[in-house]
Amino acid sequence: MNHSNSTYTSPQLRSLLMIVLWPAFLMACVATGLFFSLVDPMELIVLDERIKVHALGAYTIGFFAFWMLGILSSGLTALLVQKSR
């Protein structure tokens, strides 16, 4: 089978992506739930400015911010595990 590089990813790469993305996604779900249980999105203040975003927008931005932090954490862990082998 001849696949171009842009449409085919190796099983090892797909596995690594799932090892990084899935735990980060789960962590983002929990972190978003906990954070917004304690903080009202309409009361968020960044750099002395009240955030002017609809509540759903704040939840979405918060989720993706937590997901990116989780990806960074899981990716760093995966990188360190691979370098130790």
Side-chain angles (χ1 to χ4, degrees):
M1 231 192 266
N2 189 6
H3 295 282
S4 73
N5 289 338
S6 63
T7 60
Y8 179 75
T9 56
S10 70
Q12 186 178 16
L13 178 61
R14 283 185 285 177
S15 176
L16 181 62
L17 283 174
M18 288 312 297
I19 287 170
V20 170
L21 295 177
W22 183 242
F25 176 82
L26 294 176
M27 189 278 306
C29 292
V30 172
T32 302
L34 288 173
F35 181 79
F36 287 112
S37 293
L38 301 172
V39 176
D40 181 9
M42 306 303 358
E43 298 295 323
L44 286 175
I45 296 173
V46 175
L47 300 174
D48 291 332
E49 291 287 326
R50 185 164 297 219
I51 305 276
K52 294 178 178 99
V53 162
H54 190 272
L56 186 58
Y59 297 141
T60 302
I61 292 167
F63 172 79
F64 282 111
F66 286 127
W67 198 9
M68 289 300 118
L69 287 172
I71 289 170
L72 181 67
S73 174
S74 293
L76 183 59
T77 301
L79 180 70
L80 292 173
V81 166
Q82 283 185 346
K83 285 193 175 202
S84 70
R85 289 184 181 179

